[in-house]
Amino acid sequence: MQNESKAIGKREQARLAGVAAELRAKEHLLLNGLHFVEQNYSVPLGEIDLIFKDANQWVFVEVKYRADNTHGSAAEQFTSAKRNKMHKAIMCYLQQYNLNLNHTSLRIDVVAIDDEQLEWLTNV
């Protein structure tokens, strides 16, 4: 029972750290001139952490956080599998809001946060 409550405590801590990382990323992008549209867009095929507009370009953002780099950096956690799931979610978003892929300028950015260091990778 005690091990189970420790596991729940660790999961909750990880969830809260993820929420804080998304908030930090959102604030950073706002301070850099992007316009916030939506957060935590989710469909069965995937999810998008943050959605912004940068002038006429849609910006779909994945936020990755690592408290330490024991298992690799935050940026390294944006794998091809994650990119594929995110791409599927973007296609759903475009369809839901009647945005034509051929006439919609978009990019995927990653905000990687390793402990206190934030790195914004554009057009990954």
Side-chain angles (χ1 to χ4, degrees):
M1 183 76 170
Q2 187 176 10
N3 287 339
E4 188 175 305
S5 64
K6 282 184 182 179
I8 292 170
K10 285 185 179 188
R11 279 194 299 253
E12 182 63 12
Q13 286 177 342
R15 187 189 70 75
L16 291 174
V19 169
E22 281 186 9
L23 179 60
R24 185 169 171 210
K26 181 179 175 182
E27 289 172 352
H28 181 79
L29 297 175
L30 286 168
L31 287 172
N32 280 279
L34 274 66
H35 299 280
F36 177 73
V37 176
E38 190 168 342
Q39 188 165 347
N40 297 322
Y41 176 81
S42 183
V43 291
L45 298 173
E47 69 162 321
I48 304 164
D49 292 332
L50 300 167
I51 302 171
F52 284 87
K53 291 278 304 259
D54 186 4
N56 291 325
Q57 186 173 52
W58 289 89
V59 182
F60 298 94
V61 182
E62 175 68 13
V63 178
K64 290 296 186 184
Y65 170 77
R66 291 292 174 267
D68 62 54
N69 60 6
T70 306
H71 301 290
S73 71
E76 292 172 331
Q77 305 306 314
F78 188 67
T79 63
S80 59
K82 178 57 186 172
R83 179 190 307 270
N84 290 338
K85 288 184 85 170
M86 192 171 179
H87 185 263
K88 290 174 184 175
I90 290 168
M91 294 302 107
C92 291
Y93 185 87
L94 295 176
Q95 185 177 22
Q96 180 178 342
Y97 291 98
N98 296 315
L99 299 167
N100 184 316
L101 177 61
N102 297 319
H103 298 97
T104 302
S105 176
L106 63 90
R107 72 176 194 249
I108 296 174
D109 289 2
V110 172
V111 174
I113 303 172
D114 289 291
D115 190 28
E116 293 299 318
Q117 183 175 347
L118 183 146
E119 182 179 14
W120 177 17
L121 307 166
T122 60
N123 205 28
V124 294

